[in-house]
Amino acid sequence: MSILFYKKPDYRPKGEGPLDLSQCQKYVERTRDCKGNIPPDLCFERIVSNKSLPPCSLQDFIDYLAYVTHDAENLQFYLWLVDYHQRFRNAPSEETALSPKWRFDDPHSSPRHSGNSGHSVLGYSDKTLSVLGLNGFNAIEEEDISNASMLDQSSPYTATLGTLKFSEIPLADSRPSDGSQKRSNNAQPFRTEINRIVAHYIAPGSPRELNLSHKDRTAALYALRRTTHPSAFHPIKTVLDLTLRNQSHPNFVRWSICNGNKPWTLFLRTFAVCNIAAGFIIAILLTLSRASRWFRILAALLWWFGITNLIAAYQGLCVLLLRRHTREVRPWETDGYGRNYALADEETDLRHSKILYEETKSRWPVKMELFGPPNMAVNETWMDRYSMKSVFRKTFEKEVPTQDRGLHGMQNKIVRQAEAWAFIITIPFTIFFTALPKGNLY
């Protein structure tokens, strides 16, 4: 009976205003209620490490954030921060010693030099941090990523941010005096890159400004002026990790289930309603005739077929495309996009993708570049081509393979559910019309 009540991941709407831990708390609570709706093959770690296949690959995730939810900067910054943490760990110790670890609940580390007043991290209450699973974060004294990685340890992307633990205990006597502050900061490792990141993602009015609260933004900017240690990104890291895991990722999986575009889904729903209506017309005509009442059972085929497709279309699924293991291309995947739909090796990861953020290859769209214009599609060529297409061409788009087995399993469950409910609904209709006496009108 569980197939009758299977649910795909619920939609998590964006909160109003900037992101903070209080807003993330709502995402976490909703995710806990439906953890089993997303299979392990489509977990956040596999998608971010590019181990899932289209249409659930890392590139598809970025496409979704860029063109559907319009917040691709969250994932772009997230990927850079994972990479930056690994590069900082591998930097010479004499260089990293110039960038002390940062502790945000230290009164001397606050922009206003004030204590935490009974709050744990950045002024958030212990109750909020407990719900988010962060109540023990400030007690961490050593970096520990030994159990964090789901990726190849030789990859520069060794772990994801949800399991990285940055030490927040500052080094003893590590703060330079006021006279040497500026010289020390300029000598810190990766200082130029950090300044570019701040100007591109964190500073107010930046091209890809992250939707941070004033409190988190101010705390991060204050810390990054004094150190380039990854712990200075703690307020941003925490908010982005919780948002991507508990809001963006479930919504992306839910969206990926749909294998047809909007015009095709509308056509499919209309086709399903016509099948249901045709079933009623046939049942009524046979009831009014002198034909045997058992012929009326033929209408059940149209009812079952129409209801199955109607329920599946409501979930964004086309049964025909599913049986063919294909989906329609997205508008931004039309001619000129340069995507390669050849079957990929299941062991492909970020190391094989060769994403070099400072030297982005032209084969990547602009949203894969770390530094670039805002993530807006207004100037992309596919928009003009797509707007010029006829309704017929938009409805019957080209098809590409659906390669990810985890997604295909979710789609199969939804179709089986639709078939089961269609059978249950069809039975009383069939019994009712079969039981009616003949009309003998013709």
Side-chain angles (χ1 to χ4, degrees):
M1 294 293 291
S2 61
I3 191 64
L4 295 176
F5 304 101
Y6 173 78
K7 289 182 61 178
K8 65 181 183 181
D10 294 330
Y11 177 73
R12 279 97 166 152
K14 285 185 179 180
E16 297 181 359
L19 296 172
D20 55 20
L21 289 185
S22 301
Q23 181 66 43
C24 293
Q25 178 180 355
K26 301 177 182 178
Y27 298 151
V28 173
E29 290 173 348
R30 294 194 64 180
T31 301
R32 287 177 179 174
D33 296 336
C34 53
K35 274 188 175 180
N37 292 349
I38 300 178
D41 289 346
L42 295 178
C43 67
F44 179 76
E45 287 78 7
R46 284 187 61 86
I47 293 178
V48 171
S49 60
N50 208 26
K51 289 186 176 180
S52 55
L53 299 176
C56 296
S57 65
L58 176 61
Q59 180 66 67
D60 294 298
F61 193 15
I62 295 180
D63 287 346
Y64 168 77
L65 296 177
Y67 297 119
V68 180
T69 62
H70 308 292
D71 54 1
E73 60 275 0
N74 291 344
L75 185 56
Q76 291 166 338
F77 184 87
Y78 185 94
L79 294 174
W80 170 83
L81 190 51
V82 175
D83 173 57
Y84 179 73
H85 177 265
Q86 304 304 326
R87 287 188 285 122
F88 192 92
R89 287 182 66 232
N90 296 330
S93 58
E94 59 271 15
E95 293 183 12
T96 58
L98 299 174
S99 294
K101 300 173 184 178
W102 194 259
R103 179 174 177 177
F104 284 92
D105 60 353
D106 186 350
H108 298 287
S109 299
S110 169
R112 297 184 179 180
H113 302 286
S114 59
N116 55 16
S117 303
H119 290 72
S120 296
V121 178
L122 302 177
Y124 293 105
S125 66
D126 291 335
K127 180 179 179 181
T128 298
L129 297 173
S130 178
V131 172
L132 297 172
L134 300 172
N135 51 330
F137 198 91
N138 284 333
I140 298 170
E141 298 184 2
E142 299 292 339
E143 292 185 3
D144 179 12
I145 61 170
S146 57
N147 298 322
S149 176
M150 291 187 64
L151 314 180
D152 188 341
Q153 291 293 330
S154 62
S155 171
Y157 302 88
T158 309
T160 53
L161 294 182
T163 44
L164 293 179
K165 300 177 181 179
F166 300 136
S167 172
E168 298 197 9
I169 306 302
L171 298 178
D173 300 325
S174 60
R175 290 191 182 87
S177 62
D178 294 338
S180 61
Q181 176 76 47
K182 186 174 182 179
R183 293 194 305 272
S184 177
N185 287 354
N186 291 335
Q188 290 174 344
F190 309 107
R191 171 51 66 184
T192 301
E193 181 179 357
I194 291 298
N195 290 342
R196 292 186 66 190
I197 286 292
V198 168
H200 220 74
Y201 288 90
I202 305 177
S206 53
R208 299 181 184 177
E209 181 181 353
L210 298 173
N211 187 24
L212 303 171
S213 66
H214 175 73
K215 176 171 54 178
D216 293 343
R217 189 187 308 276
T218 302
L221 288 173
Y222 184 82
L224 290 169
R225 286 175 57 190
R226 287 155 176 78
T227 182
T228 59
H229 193 277
S231 59
F233 290 100
H234 167 61
I236 304 176
K237 172 187 77 76
T238 304
V239 169
L240 289 188
D241 185 63
L242 292 171
T243 301
L244 288 170
R245 287 178 180 273
N246 300 288
Q247 197 257 350
S248 300
H249 170 248
N251 286 348
F252 167 65
V253 174
R254 174 188 173 92
W255 175 81
S256 299
I257 291 174
C258 305
N259 56 6
N261 56 31
K262 289 185 178 180
W264 175 256
T265 302
L266 180 60
F267 169 79
L268 189 61
R269 292 178 181 177
T270 304
F271 177 73
V273 171
C274 291
N275 273 270
I276 297 173
F280 278 105
I281 292 174
I282 291 175
I284 292 172
L285 292 177
L286 290 175
T287 301
L288 297 177
S289 70
R290 296 187 179 89
S292 172
R293 67 178 63 196
W294 302 112
F295 283 110
R296 304 170 199 171
I297 298 178
L298 296 175
L301 298 177
L302 290 174
W303 288 331
W304 179 83
F305 182 78
I307 295 173
T308 296
N309 282 276
L310 186 63
I311 295 176
Y314 178 76
Q315 304 279 3
L317 269 177
C318 172
V319 179
L320 177 62
L321 293 178
L322 176 64
R323 300 308 182 201
R324 295 167 60 179
H325 296 269
T326 62
R327 65 172 178 87
E328 290 190 319
V329 297
R330 316 295 185 192
W332 52 87
E333 296 173 340
T334 51
D335 294 341
Y337 185 76
R339 292 287 297 274
N340 180 12
Y341 290 101
L343 290 176
D345 186 352
E346 291 188 5
E347 297 302 321
T348 298
D349 58 17
L350 287 176
R351 176 185 47 180
H352 298 141
S353 297
K354 295 187 170 86
I355 303 177
L356 303 177
Y357 294 105
E358 292 293 337
E359 301 174 1
T360 307
K361 305 301 181 183
S362 59
R363 64 187 176 90
W364 295 104
V366 64
K367 54 192 169 295
M368 278 301 297
E369 297 176 0
L370 179 60
F371 302 108
N375 293 306
M376 300 175 63
V378 291
N379 296 324
E380 297 197 16
T381 56
W382 65 264
M383 299 187 68
D384 292 335
R385 287 198 298 268
Y386 187 76
S387 62
M388 294 170 56
K389 284 186 175 182
S390 64
V391 175
F392 179 84
R393 289 189 60 192
K394 289 181 180 179
T395 303
F396 299 92
E397 272 284 10
K398 294 187 298 184
E399 300 176 16
V400 292
T402 298
Q403 303 171 23
D404 195 273
R405 296 179 181 178
L407 180 67
H408 192 70
M410 295 180 67
Q411 293 172 331
N412 274 327
K413 287 183 179 179
I414 293 175
V415 170
R416 288 199 298 269
Q417 180 189 57
E419 292 172 345
W421 279 111
F423 181 76
I424 293 173
I425 296 172
T426 299
I427 288 177
F429 288 156
T430 306
I431 294 176
F432 174 78
F433 279 98
T434 304
L436 291 176
K438 296 181 181 180
N440 294 322
L441 297 181
Y442 50 88

